[in-house]
mmCIF file of all heavy atoms in Angstrom:
data_model
loop_
_atom_site.group_PDB
_atom_site.id
_atom_site.type_symbol
_atom_site.label_atom_id
_atom_site.label_comp_id
_atom_site.label_asym_id
_atom_site.label_seq_id
_atom_site.Cartn_x
_atom_site.Cartn_y
_atom_site.Cartn_z
ATOM 1 N N THR A 694 162.502 126.242 25.734
ATOM 2 C CA THR A 694 161.912 126.821 24.537
ATOM 3 C C THR A 694 162.049 128.341 24.548
ATOM 4 O O THR A 694 162.377 128.944 25.568
ATOM 5 C CB THR A 694 160.417 126.458 24.424
ATOM 6 O OG1 THR A 694 159.662 127.264 25.357
ATOM 7 C CG2 THR A 694 160.173 124.981 24.718
ATOM 8 N N PHE A 695 161.784 128.941 23.413
ATOM 9 C CA PHE A 695 161.856 130.396 23.291
ATOM 10 C C PHE A 695 160.910 131.075 24.277
ATOM 11 O O PHE A 695 161.206 132.163 24.778
ATOM 12 C CB PHE A 695 161.502 130.807 21.855
ATOM 13 C CG PHE A 695 161.690 132.275 21.582
ATOM 14 C CD1 PHE A 695 162.949 132.791 21.335
ATOM 15 C CD2 PHE A 695 160.607 133.141 21.560
ATOM 16 C CE1 PHE A 695 163.140 134.148 21.086
ATOM 17 C CE2 PHE A 695 160.780 134.498 21.317
ATOM 18 C CZ PHE A 695 162.054 134.997 21.072
ATOM 19 N N ALA A 696 159.805 130.414 24.584
ATOM 20 C CA ALA A 696 158.814 130.979 25.501
ATOM 21 C C ALA A 696 159.292 130.971 26.946
ATOM 22 O O ALA A 696 158.651 131.573 27.814
ATOM 23 C CB ALA A 696 157.500 130.210 25.397
ATOM 24 N N ASP A 697 160.433 130.313 27.228
ATOM 25 C CA ASP A 697 160.913 130.187 28.604
ATOM 26 C C ASP A 697 162.064 131.144 28.929
ATOM 27 O O ASP A 697 162.556 131.150 30.069
ATOM 28 C CB ASP A 697 161.398 128.751 28.859
ATOM 29 C CG ASP A 697 160.320 127.709 28.592
ATOM 30 O OD1 ASP A 697 159.155 127.970 28.942
ATOM 31 O OD2 ASP A 697 160.644 126.646 28.017
ATOM 32 N N LEU A 698 162.512 131.933 27.982
ATOM 33 C CA LEU A 698 163.742 132.707 28.165
ATOM 34 C C LEU A 698 163.603 133.894 29.111
ATOM 35 O O LEU A 698 164.610 134.430 29.575
ATOM 36 C CB LEU A 698 164.249 133.207 26.801
ATOM 37 C CG LEU A 698 164.892 132.133 25.920
ATOM 38 C CD1 LEU A 698 165.110 132.656 24.513
ATOM 39 C CD2 LEU A 698 166.216 131.674 26.528
ATOM 40 N N LYS A 699 162.375 134.309 29.406
ATOM 41 C CA LYS A 699 162.200 135.476 30.270
ATOM 42 C C LYS A 699 161.854 135.114 31.717
ATOM 43 O O LYS A 699 161.602 136.004 32.527
ATOM 44 C CB LYS A 699 161.090 136.379 29.702
ATOM 45 C CG LYS A 699 161.400 136.990 28.331
ATOM 46 C CD LYS A 699 162.506 138.022 28.426
ATOM 47 C CE LYS A 699 162.771 138.694 27.087
ATOM 48 N NZ LYS A 699 161.693 139.607 26.681
ATOM 49 N N ILE A 700 161.862 133.835 32.049
ATOM 50 C CA ILE A 700 161.512 133.466 33.422
ATOM 51 C C ILE A 700 162.666 133.822 34.361
ATOM 52 O O ILE A 700 163.839 133.752 33.986
ATOM 53 C CB ILE A 700 161.180 131.956 33.545
ATOM 54 C CG1 ILE A 700 162.298 131.090 32.932
ATOM 55 C CG2 ILE A 700 159.861 131.642 32.915
ATOM 56 C CD1 ILE A 700 162.053 129.610 33.087
ATOM 57 N N PRO A 701 162.356 134.228 35.588
ATOM 58 C CA PRO A 701 163.416 134.565 36.547
ATOM 59 C C PRO A 701 164.145 133.311 37.005
ATOM 60 O O PRO A 701 163.562 132.224 37.070
ATOM 61 C CB PRO A 701 162.652 135.227 37.689
ATOM 62 C CG PRO A 701 161.266 134.672 37.598
ATOM 63 C CD PRO A 701 161.013 134.454 36.142
ATOM 64 N N LEU A 702 165.411 133.470 37.317
ATOM 65 C CA LEU A 702 166.203 132.335 37.795
ATOM 66 C C LEU A 702 165.679 131.847 39.136
ATOM 67 O O LEU A 702 165.613 130.642 39.386
ATOM 68 C CB LEU A 702 167.679 132.746 37.905
ATOM 69 C CG LEU A 702 168.682 131.652 38.271
ATOM 70 C CD1 LEU A 702 168.668 130.542 37.220
ATOM 71 C CD2 LEU A 702 170.082 132.250 38.389
ATOM 72 N N ASP A 703 165.330 132.779 40.004
ATOM 73 C CA ASP A 703 164.815 132.419 41.326
ATOM 74 C C ASP A 703 163.559 133.239 41.603
ATOM 75 O O ASP A 703 163.643 134.372 42.078
ATOM 76 C CB ASP A 703 165.872 132.681 42.400
ATOM 77 C CG ASP A 703 165.417 132.199 43.780
ATOM 78 O OD1 ASP A 703 164.249 131.778 43.914
ATOM 79 O OD2 ASP A 703 166.228 132.250 44.721
ATOM 80 N N PRO A 704 162.376 132.688 41.306
ATOM 81 C CA PRO A 704 161.119 133.440 41.489
ATOM 82 C C PRO A 704 160.885 133.896 42.922
ATOM 83 O O PRO A 704 160.194 134.884 43.150
ATOM 84 C CB PRO A 704 160.046 132.429 41.062
ATOM 85 C CG PRO A 704 160.766 131.440 40.209
ATOM 86 C CD PRO A 704 162.159 131.356 40.752
ATOM 87 N N SER A 705 161.484 133.197 43.903
ATOM 88 C CA SER A 705 161.265 133.584 45.296
ATOM 89 C C SER A 705 161.931 134.911 45.621
ATOM 90 O O SER A 705 161.611 135.547 46.617
ATOM 91 C CB SER A 705 161.809 132.502 46.236
ATOM 92 O OG SER A 705 163.231 132.423 46.156
ATOM 93 N N TYR A 706 162.879 135.345 44.758
ATOM 94 C CA TYR A 706 163.524 136.644 44.943
ATOM 95 C C TYR A 706 163.084 137.617 43.852
ATOM 96 O O TYR A 706 163.868 138.368 43.307
ATOM 97 C CB TYR A 706 165.059 136.500 44.947
ATOM 98 C CG TYR A 706 165.623 136.395 46.327
ATOM 99 C CD1 TYR A 706 165.756 135.139 46.930
ATOM 100 C CD2 TYR A 706 165.984 137.527 47.045
ATOM 101 C CE1 TYR A 706 166.261 135.026 48.214
ATOM 102 C CE2 TYR A 706 166.495 137.419 48.325
ATOM 103 C CZ TYR A 706 166.626 136.169 48.908
ATOM 104 O OH TYR A 706 167.117 136.057 50.184
ATOM 105 N N GLU A 707 161.814 137.575 43.571
ATOM 106 C CA GLU A 707 161.221 138.562 42.668
ATOM 107 C C GLU A 707 160.109 139.251 43.446
ATOM 108 O O GLU A 707 158.923 139.060 43.194
ATOM 109 C CB GLU A 707 160.677 137.888 41.405
ATOM 110 C CG GLU A 707 160.110 138.852 40.373
ATOM 111 C CD GLU A 707 161.161 139.725 39.713
ATOM 112 O OE1 GLU A 707 162.345 139.362 39.727
ATOM 113 O OE2 GLU A 707 160.791 140.789 39.181
ATOM 114 N N PRO A 708 160.475 140.030 44.461
ATOM 115 C CA PRO A 708 159.459 140.633 45.331
ATOM 116 C C PRO A 708 158.622 141.670 44.606
ATOM 117 O O PRO A 708 159.060 142.277 43.633
ATOM 118 C CB PRO A 708 160.306 141.280 46.431
ATOM 119 C CG PRO A 708 161.623 141.568 45.774
ATOM 120 C CD PRO A 708 161.836 140.452 44.815
ATOM 121 N N LYS A 709 157.436 141.843 45.109
ATOM 122 C CA LYS A 709 156.594 142.927 44.617
ATOM 123 C C LYS A 709 157.100 144.244 45.202
ATOM 124 O O LYS A 709 157.574 144.284 46.337
ATOM 125 C CB LYS A 709 155.139 142.707 45.038
ATOM 126 C CG LYS A 709 154.491 141.489 44.383
ATOM 127 C CD LYS A 709 154.294 141.699 42.904
ATOM 128 C CE LYS A 709 153.565 140.515 42.262
ATOM 129 N NZ LYS A 709 153.368 140.713 40.814
ATOM 130 N N ILE A 710 156.998 145.305 44.442
ATOM 131 C CA ILE A 710 157.513 146.588 44.911
ATOM 132 C C ILE A 710 156.553 147.695 44.500
ATOM 133 O O ILE A 710 156.059 147.717 43.358
ATOM 134 C CB ILE A 710 158.932 146.849 44.356
ATOM 135 C CG1 ILE A 710 159.480 148.180 44.873
ATOM 136 C CG2 ILE A 710 158.960 146.787 42.842
ATOM 137 C CD1 ILE A 710 160.949 148.370 44.575
ATOM 138 N N THR A 711 156.264 148.583 45.417
ATOM 139 C CA THR A 711 155.354 149.687 45.123
ATOM 140 C C THR A 711 156.105 150.811 44.426
ATOM 141 O O THR A 711 157.339 150.868 44.435
ATOM 142 C CB THR A 711 154.729 150.233 46.414
ATOM 143 O OG1 THR A 711 155.767 150.836 47.210
ATOM 144 C CG2 THR A 711 154.041 149.125 47.203
ATOM 145 N N ILE A 712 155.350 151.730 43.874
ATOM 146 C CA ILE A 712 155.950 152.899 43.227
ATOM 147 C C ILE A 712 156.736 153.715 44.246
ATOM 148 O O ILE A 712 157.847 154.175 43.971
ATOM 149 C CB ILE A 712 154.856 153.752 42.558
ATOM 150 C CG1 ILE A 712 154.242 152.993 41.372
ATOM 151 C CG2 ILE A 712 155.415 155.097 42.113
ATOM 152 C CD1 ILE A 712 153.017 153.648 40.786
ATOM 153 N N GLU A 713 156.165 153.880 45.436
ATOM 154 C CA GLU A 713 156.838 154.662 46.469
ATOM 155 C C GLU A 713 158.146 153.995 46.894
ATOM 156 O O GLU A 713 159.156 154.665 47.129
ATOM 157 C CB GLU A 713 155.913 154.826 47.682
ATOM 158 C CG GLU A 713 156.443 155.767 48.754
ATOM 159 C CD GLU A 713 156.703 157.186 48.254
ATOM 160 O OE1 GLU A 713 155.960 157.646 47.360
ATOM 161 O OE2 GLU A 713 157.653 157.827 48.760
ATOM 162 N N GLU A 714 158.140 152.670 46.993
ATOM 163 C CA GLU A 714 159.364 151.952 47.347
ATOM 164 C C GLU A 714 160.427 152.101 46.262
ATOM 165 O O GLU A 714 161.625 152.166 46.548
ATOM 166 C CB GLU A 714 159.055 150.469 47.579
ATOM 167 C CG GLU A 714 158.289 150.211 48.867
ATOM 168 C CD GLU A 714 157.763 148.792 48.959
ATOM 169 O OE1 GLU A 714 157.606 148.137 47.888
ATOM 170 O OE2 GLU A 714 157.491 148.336 50.082
ATOM 171 N N SER A 715 159.994 152.169 45.021
ATOM 172 C CA SER A 715 160.959 152.316 43.923
ATOM 173 C C SER A 715 161.705 153.642 44.021
ATOM 174 O O SER A 715 162.865 153.741 43.618
ATOM 175 C CB SER A 715 160.252 152.214 42.570
ATOM 176 O OG SER A 715 159.516 153.398 42.274
ATOM 177 N N LYS A 716 161.050 154.642 44.573
ATOM 178 C CA LYS A 716 161.691 155.958 44.725
ATOM 179 C C LYS A 716 162.910 155.861 45.636
ATOM 180 O O LYS A 716 163.951 156.468 45.357
ATOM 181 C CB LYS A 716 160.680 156.958 45.292
ATOM 182 C CG LYS A 716 161.225 158.373 45.452
ATOM 183 C CD LYS A 716 160.143 159.302 45.999
ATOM 184 C CE LYS A 716 160.676 160.713 46.193
ATOM 185 N NZ LYS A 716 159.645 161.622 46.750
ATOM 186 N N LYS A 717 162.798 155.087 46.705
ATOM 187 C CA LYS A 717 163.939 154.927 47.612
ATOM 188 C C LYS A 717 165.091 154.206 46.911
ATOM 189 O O LYS A 717 166.267 154.561 47.084
ATOM 190 C CB LYS A 717 163.519 154.159 48.858
ATOM 191 C CG LYS A 717 164.646 154.063 49.902
ATOM 192 C CD LYS A 717 164.223 153.345 51.148
ATOM 193 C CE LYS A 717 165.299 153.422 52.229
ATOM 194 N NZ LYS A 717 166.631 153.004 51.772
ATOM 195 N N TYR A 718 164.761 153.200 46.106
ATOM 196 C CA TYR A 718 165.804 152.504 45.362
ATOM 197 C C TYR A 718 166.540 153.470 44.441
ATOM 198 O O TYR A 718 167.766 153.430 44.319
ATOM 199 C CB TYR A 718 165.201 151.358 44.546
ATOM 200 C CG TYR A 718 165.032 150.077 45.325
ATOM 201 C CD1 TYR A 718 163.795 149.718 45.859
ATOM 202 C CD2 TYR A 718 166.108 149.230 45.544
ATOM 203 C CE1 TYR A 718 163.631 148.545 46.580
ATOM 204 C CE2 TYR A 718 165.958 148.048 46.266
ATOM 205 C CZ TYR A 718 164.714 147.709 46.778
ATOM 206 O OH TYR A 718 164.561 146.547 47.510
ATOM 207 N N MET A 719 165.785 154.338 43.763
ATOM 208 C CA MET A 719 166.409 155.309 42.855
ATOM 209 C C MET A 719 167.322 156.257 43.629
ATOM 210 O O MET A 719 168.442 156.536 43.204
ATOM 211 C CB MET A 719 165.344 156.121 42.107
ATOM 212 C CG MET A 719 164.424 155.307 41.224
ATOM 213 S SD MET A 719 165.271 154.324 39.985
ATOM 214 C CE MET A 719 164.222 152.867 39.991
ATOM 215 N N ASN A 720 166.834 156.728 44.758
ATOM 216 C CA ASN A 720 167.636 157.650 45.574
ATOM 217 C C ASN A 720 168.928 156.998 46.050
ATOM 218 O O ASN A 720 170.008 157.593 45.981
ATOM 219 C CB ASN A 720 166.822 158.142 46.778
ATOM 220 C CG ASN A 720 165.978 159.350 46.459
ATOM 221 O OD1 ASN A 720 166.425 160.479 46.596
ATOM 222 N ND2 ASN A 720 164.754 159.117 46.016
ATOM 223 N N ASP A 721 168.823 155.773 46.519
ATOM 224 C CA ASP A 721 170.001 155.094 47.058
ATOM 225 C C ASP A 721 171.013 154.754 45.966
ATOM 226 O O ASP A 721 172.222 154.945 46.139
ATOM 227 C CB ASP A 721 169.583 153.813 47.793
ATOM 228 C CG ASP A 721 168.798 154.099 49.072
ATOM 229 O OD1 ASP A 721 168.839 155.259 49.533
ATOM 230 O OD2 ASP A 721 168.142 153.181 49.582
ATOM 231 N N ALA A 722 170.519 154.262 44.847
ATOM 232 C CA ALA A 722 171.425 153.798 43.792
ATOM 233 C C ALA A 722 172.051 154.952 43.009
ATOM 234 O O ALA A 722 173.204 154.864 42.572
ATOM 235 C CB ALA A 722 170.692 152.872 42.834
ATOM 236 N N LEU A 723 171.297 156.033 42.819
ATOM 237 C CA LEU A 723 171.759 157.128 41.965
ATOM 238 C C LEU A 723 172.352 158.292 42.756
ATOM 239 O O LEU A 723 172.733 159.310 42.169
ATOM 240 C CB LEU A 723 170.606 157.629 41.080
ATOM 241 C CG LEU A 723 169.958 156.551 40.191
ATOM 242 C CD1 LEU A 723 168.814 157.145 39.383
ATOM 243 C CD2 LEU A 723 170.977 155.902 39.271
ATOM 244 N N ALA A 724 172.440 158.136 44.065
ATOM 245 C CA ALA A 724 172.997 159.213 44.899
ATOM 246 C C ALA A 724 174.418 159.562 44.493
ATOM 247 O O ALA A 724 174.849 160.715 44.623
ATOM 248 C CB ALA A 724 172.961 158.796 46.368
ATOM 249 N N ILE A 725 175.140 158.584 43.978
ATOM 250 C CA ILE A 725 176.524 158.814 43.573
ATOM 251 C C ILE A 725 176.634 159.856 42.465
ATOM 252 O O ILE A 725 177.685 160.485 42.277
ATOM 253 C CB ILE A 725 177.173 157.482 43.110
ATOM 254 C CG1 ILE A 725 178.693 157.638 42.996
ATOM 255 C CG2 ILE A 725 176.564 157.003 41.799
ATOM 256 C CD1 ILE A 725 179.414 156.327 42.768
ATOM 257 N N MET A 726 175.527 160.105 41.746
ATOM 258 C CA MET A 726 175.534 161.066 40.643
ATOM 259 C C MET A 726 175.479 162.517 41.125
ATOM 260 O O MET A 726 175.604 163.435 40.330
ATOM 261 C CB MET A 726 174.362 160.793 39.699
ATOM 262 C CG MET A 726 174.470 159.473 38.943
ATOM 263 S SD MET A 726 175.888 159.436 37.833
ATOM 264 C CE MET A 726 175.363 160.636 36.617
ATOM 265 N N GLY A 727 175.278 162.720 42.403
ATOM 266 C CA GLY A 727 175.331 164.073 42.942
ATOM 267 C C GLY A 727 173.973 164.662 43.276
ATOM 268 O O GLY A 727 172.923 164.149 42.885
ATOM 269 N N GLU A 728 173.999 165.766 44.005
ATOM 270 C CA GLU A 728 172.777 166.382 44.540
ATOM 271 C C GLU A 728 171.834 166.869 43.447
ATOM 272 O O GLU A 728 170.624 166.692 43.532
ATOM 273 C CB GLU A 728 173.171 167.548 45.453
ATOM 274 C CG GLU A 728 171.996 168.202 46.161
ATOM 275 C CD GLU A 728 172.416 169.326 47.088
ATOM 276 O OE1 GLU A 728 173.634 169.425 47.395
ATOM 277 O OE2 GLU A 728 171.549 170.112 47.503
ATOM 278 N N ASP A 729 172.364 167.524 42.420
ATOM 279 C CA ASP A 729 171.504 168.059 41.358
ATOM 280 C C ASP A 729 170.795 166.940 40.611
ATOM 281 O O ASP A 729 169.605 167.034 40.308
ATOM 282 C CB ASP A 729 172.333 168.906 40.395
ATOM 283 C CG ASP A 729 171.467 169.586 39.343
ATOM 284 O OD1 ASP A 729 170.536 170.325 39.728
ATOM 285 O OD2 ASP A 729 171.707 169.365 38.134
ATOM 286 N N TYR A 730 171.521 165.876 40.321
ATOM 287 C CA TYR A 730 170.936 164.729 39.616
ATOM 288 C C TYR A 730 169.845 164.097 40.474
ATOM 289 O O TYR A 730 168.758 163.768 39.985
ATOM 290 C CB TYR A 730 172.032 163.716 39.299
ATOM 291 C CG TYR A 730 171.654 162.672 38.272
ATOM 292 C CD1 TYR A 730 172.056 162.801 36.949
ATOM 293 C CD2 TYR A 730 170.903 161.549 38.617
ATOM 294 C CE1 TYR A 730 171.729 161.839 35.994
ATOM 295 C CE2 TYR A 730 170.568 160.594 37.682
ATOM 296 C CZ TYR A 730 170.983 160.741 36.369
ATOM 297 O OH TYR A 730 170.641 159.779 35.426
ATOM 298 N N LEU A 731 170.131 163.945 41.759
ATOM 299 C CA LEU A 731 169.161 163.337 42.661
ATOM 300 C C LEU A 731 167.919 164.217 42.825
ATOM 301 O O LEU A 731 166.800 163.709 42.978
ATOM 302 C CB LEU A 731 169.815 163.086 44.016
ATOM 303 C CG LEU A 731 169.290 161.879 44.808
ATOM 304 C CD1 LEU A 731 169.405 160.610 43.993
ATOM 305 C CD2 LEU A 731 170.048 161.735 46.112
ATOM 306 N N ASN A 732 168.095 165.510 42.777
ATOM 307 C CA ASN A 732 166.960 166.434 42.823
ATOM 308 C C ASN A 732 166.048 166.211 41.626
ATOM 309 O O ASN A 732 164.820 166.237 41.744
ATOM 310 C CB ASN A 732 167.463 167.874 42.852
ATOM 311 C CG ASN A 732 166.321 168.879 42.867
ATOM 312 O OD1 ASN A 732 165.470 168.850 43.760
ATOM 313 N ND2 ASN A 732 166.296 169.772 41.888
ATOM 314 N N MET A 733 166.659 165.985 40.452
ATOM 315 C CA MET A 733 165.886 165.688 39.249
ATOM 316 C C MET A 733 165.084 164.401 39.425
ATOM 317 O O MET A 733 163.893 164.324 39.061
ATOM 318 C CB MET A 733 166.838 165.562 38.055
ATOM 319 C CG MET A 733 166.179 165.286 36.701
ATOM 320 S SD MET A 733 165.871 163.528 36.333
ATOM 321 C CE MET A 733 167.515 162.836 36.395
ATOM 322 N N VAL A 734 165.705 163.378 40.016
ATOM 323 C CA VAL A 734 165.029 162.101 40.240
ATOM 324 C C VAL A 734 163.819 162.286 41.150
ATOM 325 O O VAL A 734 162.717 161.797 40.872
ATOM 326 C CB VAL A 734 166.007 161.078 40.859
ATOM 327 C CG1 VAL A 734 165.259 159.820 41.322
ATOM 328 C CG2 VAL A 734 167.099 160.707 39.856
#
Side-chain angles (χ1 to χ4, degrees):
T694 76
F695 186 79
D697 303 320
L698 286 169
K699 296 291 183 71
I700 52 177
L702 185 60
D703 185 354
S705 67
Y706 264 89
E707 183 68 21
K709 293 291 184 180
I710 181 169
T711 66
I712 292 171
E713 187 59 33
E714 288 169 337
S715 75
K716 182 179 179 181
K717 185 178 187 308
Y718 275 100
M719 298 303 143
N720 274 271
D721 292 344
L723 303 179
I725 193 171
M726 293 296 291
E728 185 178 346
D729 185 57
Y730 195 100
L731 211 56
N732 179 58
M733 182 274 300
V734 170

